[in-house]
């Protein structure tokens, strides 16, 4: 296939998509109607699962060097700690929340793209498009008013919550707008407040979240009760200080605001992420409460999921049927994120005093149970995301229960690799499946599978059991596993999974 992929939208989602495709040799264009990259902090955190995805892309280090590591989350009732979880309990090579303003995330992704020879075409707007079954055609308008009509192999809608492409498809964006106003302020804070932890205060008057950005700079988020008449004016520093005095854990003083805003929470999602040659990604497909800070991360993981499949199909190494798995896999994840974020928000903004007391007692008691704290850490850090019910997940005879088919494949040292890779993530960087033999001889691949898979080996660990072969997807999820003596069955299932181009 020689026609490029068109990516509409150069936020974190579109930039990640472009980077992942280009690393696999896919021709592409990435456009954005804005004349310049956003200078707003917006999304603030990269969670461990997203950092693992960037590690597979070979570019995680610049993000780590630029961001700040937060290693804890605490929920307070006035001045008492209800629950305190340590993010360094995350079962990942990146056991922390990496605090990084979205403007920096976009800058770093754009720099990675530039190293690959790709540059964002700015001030270029997608005006209309058509899906002609064999190609997708897009009409683009440039800064000087001129227009072009060009054919593409596929179109990726990474153009945000007000997606032109989603509107053009006339796709329902089902959900609700929550009936409450919220305040956001990025300010400098003086006072006794840890800058390596996220602090959430539950008070009778509402919730206050204090999210570290860098040094003494924090994001302050607070609910303001029921929605009032739309107030377009930005919050004042006096209003921010008043909320800190009323709800904050200690005497805090706010100054030097960088960005203040009011907002309302939308919880919406499309049913289908794929429409022929057009794919909806990130906020174009789902938007939800900022609780948990997983919106941007979910969008970036959407396109990592899509990119390896699209690359295989674009190069003619797999049947286009492989792309059918994108929507069911990511739609299920979107529903999970919506549900979790919505629940966290509703629990935090309870107004009934009796329900507040019950909530605080329950959370305080449950927070003392280590197993439940680990569940919360796994959910926040996104290492619990899975594809158990994916069409690409196969349950073979004698499948390993750990990690089970559909679950995340933890990184670990490997050996017997032709490329010289020393870790699983390095093996997956080539965009192929990895056949991982654990404490067993590596298997020999038939020639027909060498374009889509590679073999490697490792020794048994707490995560991987001896005597098994694991088929690891390019996005580091287990597709299937079985005992080594069943390797021919596994190879046959892999061939059936990708089909023939």
């Amino acid at each position: 296939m020689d026609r490029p992929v068109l990516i509409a939208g150069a936020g974190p989602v579109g930039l990640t998509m472009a980077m992942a495709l280009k690393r696999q040799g896919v021709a592409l264009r990435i456009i954005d109607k804005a004349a310049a990259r956003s200078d707003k902090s917006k999304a603030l955190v990269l969670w461990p699962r997203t950092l693992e995805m960037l590690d597979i892309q070979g570019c995680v280090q610049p993000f780590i060097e630029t961001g700040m590591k937060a290693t804890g989350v605490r929920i307070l009732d006035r001045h008492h700690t209800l629950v305190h979880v340590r993010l360094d309990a995350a079962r990942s090579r990146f056991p922390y929340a990496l605090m990084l303003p979205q403007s920096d995330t976009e800058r770093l992704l754009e720099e990675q793209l530039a190293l690959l020879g790709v540059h964002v075409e700015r001030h270029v707007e997608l005006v209309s498009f058509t899906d002609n079954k064999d190609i997708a055609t897009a009409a683009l308008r440039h800064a000087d008013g001129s227009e072009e009509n060009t054919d593409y192999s596929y179109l990726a809608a990474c153009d945000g919550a007000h997606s032109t492409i989603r509107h053009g498809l006339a796709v329902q964006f089902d959900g609700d707008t929550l009936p409450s106003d919220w305040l956001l302020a990025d300010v400098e804070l003086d006072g006794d407040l840890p800058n390596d932890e996220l602090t959430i205060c539950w008070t009778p008057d509402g919730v206050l979240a204090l999210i570290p950005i860098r040094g003494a700079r924090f994001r302050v988020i607070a609910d303001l009760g029921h929605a009032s008449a739309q107030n377009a004016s930005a919050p004042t520093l006096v209003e921010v200080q008043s909320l800190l005095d009323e709800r904050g854990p200690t005497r805090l003083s706010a100054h030097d605001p960088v960005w203040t805003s009011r907002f309302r929470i939308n919880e919406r999602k499309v049913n289908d992420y794929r429409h022929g040659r057009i794919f909806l990604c990130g906020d174009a497909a789902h938007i939800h409460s900022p609780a948990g800070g997983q919106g941007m991360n979910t969008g970036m993981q959407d396109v990592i999921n899509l990119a390896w499949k699209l690359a295989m199909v674009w190069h003619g190494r797999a049947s286009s049927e492989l792309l059918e798995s994108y929507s069911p896999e990511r739609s299920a994840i979107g529903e999970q994120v919506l549900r979790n974020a919505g629940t966290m928000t509703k629990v935090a903004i309870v107004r009934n005093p009796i329900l507040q007391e019950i909530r605080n007692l329950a959370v305080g008691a449950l927070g003392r149970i280590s197993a439940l704290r680990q569940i919360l850490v796994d959910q926040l850090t996104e290492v619990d995301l899975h594809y158990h019910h994916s069409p690409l997940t196969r349950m073979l005879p004698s499948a390993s229960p750990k990690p089970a088919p559909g679950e995340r494949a933890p990184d670990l040292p490997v050996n017997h690799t032709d490329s010289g890779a020393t870790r699983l993530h390095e093996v997956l960087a080539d965009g192929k499946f990895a056949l991982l033999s654990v404490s067993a001889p590596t298997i020999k691949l038939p020639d027909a599978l060498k374009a889509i898979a590679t073999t490697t080996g490792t020794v048994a660990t707490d995560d991987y059991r001896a005597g098994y072969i694991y088929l690891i997807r390019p996005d580091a999820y287990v597709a299937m596993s079985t005992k080594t003596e069943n390797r021919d069955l596994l190879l046959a299932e892999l061939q059936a999974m990708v089909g023939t181009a």
Side-chain angles (χ1 to χ4, degrees):
M1 189 175 294
D2 55 2
R3 293 189 181 92
V5 174
L6 177 63
I7 301 169
V13 175
L15 292 168
T16 301
M17 177 75 163
M19 178 181 66
L21 286 176
K22 188 62 178 180
R23 286 185 185 278
Q24 299 307 320
V26 176
L28 62 93
R29 292 178 70 183
I30 177 169
I31 63 170
D32 197 290
K33 65 181 180 181
R37 189 173 59 240
S38 172
D39 61 352
K40 297 293 188 296
S41 47
K42 296 183 180 178
L44 279 180
V45 61
L46 289 172
W47 291 109
R49 189 54 177 151
T50 302
L51 294 175
E52 290 177 349
M53 299 293 187
L54 293 173
D55 189 36
I56 293 170
Q57 296 297 314
C59 65
V60 73
Q61 199 57 38
F63 293 85
I64 294 173
E65 292 172 356
T66 305
M68 186 196 72
K69 298 175 183 178
T71 56
V73 179
R74 58 178 184 158
I75 300 177
L76 308 182
D77 169 18
R78 291 294 190 180
H79 304 295
H80 302 99
T81 300
L82 293 174
V83 62
H84 183 222
V85 296
R86 298 291 305 175
L87 297 176
D88 50 16
R91 291 174 279 205
S92 171
R93 285 180 55 211
F94 310 101
Y96 44 80
L98 187 69
M99 310 310 299
L100 187 67
Q102 182 173 321
S103 52
D104 283 334
T105 296
E106 292 184 11
R107 174 180 59 80
L108 292 168
L109 287 169
E110 202 163 337
E111 288 173 0
Q112 290 298 314
L113 263 186
L115 292 175
L116 297 169
V118 177
H119 299 277
V120 177
E121 299 179 46
R122 296 202 175 274
H123 220 151
V124 178
E125 181 180 4
L126 186 146
V127 179
S128 63
F129 60 91
T130 55
D131 181 352
N132 301 312
K133 294 187 178 180
D134 294 329
I135 57 171
T137 302
L140 308 180
R141 181 181 296 132
H142 293 262
D144 61 2
S146 63
E147 293 192 4
E148 64 167 304
N149 285 274
T150 313
D151 294 337
Y152 300 93
S153 57
Y154 296 97
L155 172 58
C158 305
D159 51 348
H162 302 289
S163 171
T164 297
I165 297 172
R166 188 187 65 243
H167 286 298
L169 291 169
V171 174
Q172 287 291 113
F173 206 28
D174 295 324
D176 299 297
T177 300
L178 299 188
S180 60
D181 291 328
W182 291 74
L183 171 148
L184 176 153
D186 289 352
V187 296
E188 297 281 333
L189 287 182
D190 293 335
D192 184 16
L193 186 68
N195 67 355
D196 62 348
E197 292 193 334
L198 287 70
T199 300
I200 301 168
C201 307
W202 287 347
T203 76
D205 297 323
V207 65
L208 176 77
L210 304 169
I211 304 168
I213 300 176
R214 185 178 292 118
R217 188 169 299 282
F218 283 77
R219 170 162 297 172
V220 178
I221 297 179
D223 75 298
L224 303 177
H226 294 296
S228 57
Q230 189 66 31
N231 183 354
S233 63
T236 65
L237 188 59
V238 171
E239 187 175 357
V240 174
Q241 184 63 55
S242 177
L243 285 166
L244 290 170
D245 293 340
E246 293 169 1
R247 305 181 188 181
T250 56
R251 182 71 178 174
L252 299 174
S253 176
H255 57 94
D256 294 325
V258 174
W259 180 35
T260 63
S261 179
R262 302 180 193 273
F263 67 95
R264 291 177 183 171
I265 293 174
N266 284 281
E267 297 180 331
R268 300 182 184 277
K269 178 181 165 297
V270 300
N271 286 326
D272 296 318
Y273 288 27
R274 183 188 183 188
H275 298 265
R277 291 183 171 270
I278 301 164
F279 300 89
L280 299 174
C281 313
D283 285 355
H286 50 79
I287 54 174
H288 37 75
S289 166
Q294 295 178 322
M296 180 184 72
N297 289 261
T298 302
M300 292 171 72
Q301 291 175 39
D302 284 345
V303 294
I304 291 292
N305 176 293
L306 177 60
W308 70 264
K309 300 169 185 176
L310 206 53
M312 282 192 179
V313 173
W314 193 88
H315 284 296
R317 297 166 186 160
S319 164
S320 62
E321 292 179 1
L322 180 64
L323 300 173
E324 291 295 326
S325 63
Y326 169 67
S327 183
E329 286 186 347
R330 295 311 299 173
S331 181
I333 295 294
E335 288 174 2
Q336 180 180 336
V337 173
L338 269 169
R339 182 171 58 252
N340 291 344
T343 298
M344 283 191 281
T345 301
K346 291 176 177 64
V347 168
I349 64 175
V350 164
R351 280 291 195 274
N352 184 296
I354 296 175
L355 293 179
Q356 287 179 344
E357 185 68 22
I358 294 172
R359 172 198 65 187
N360 294 355
L361 288 171
V363 169
L366 294 173
R368 290 191 288 272
I369 302 173
S370 60
L372 293 180
R373 288 200 306 273
Q374 187 63 55
I375 289 173
L376 178 58
V377 169
D378 290 348
Q379 179 181 312
L380 281 173
T381 59
E382 301 182 323
V383 300
D384 67 340
L385 297 177
H386 61 79
Y387 297 129
H388 287 162
H389 305 294
S390 165
L392 301 187
T393 300
R394 311 289 172 87
M395 188 60 69
L396 302 186
S398 303
S400 171
K402 186 180 181 182
E407 293 182 353
R408 162 180 164 269
D411 190 26
L412 82 169
V414 296
N415 49 46
H416 307 304
T417 57
D418 294 335
S419 65
T422 60
R423 304 193 67 85
L424 177 60
H425 282 182
E426 294 174 354
V427 175
L428 297 174
D430 65 4
K432 298 180 182 180
F433 289 89
L435 282 158
L436 178 68
S437 299
V438 181
S439 296
T442 56
I443 65 176
K444 183 177 181 180
L445 274 177
D447 291 342
L449 293 177
K450 288 181 178 179
I452 61 166
T454 188
T455 60
T456 189
T458 190
V459 296
T461 66
D462 289 342
D463 290 318
Y464 294 91
R465 296 195 172 186
Y468 283 90
I469 304 171
Y470 296 84
L471 180 67
I472 312 297
R473 298 164 31 147
D475 53 359
Y477 287 91
V478 178
M480 64 186 90
S481 63
T482 190
K483 290 288 187 67
T484 54
E485 57 264 28
N486 296 326
R487 58 184 175 274
D488 290 342
L489 174 60
L490 187 145
L491 293 175
E493 287 290 336
L494 171 59
Q495 180 68 64
M497 179 189 299
V498 299
T500 56

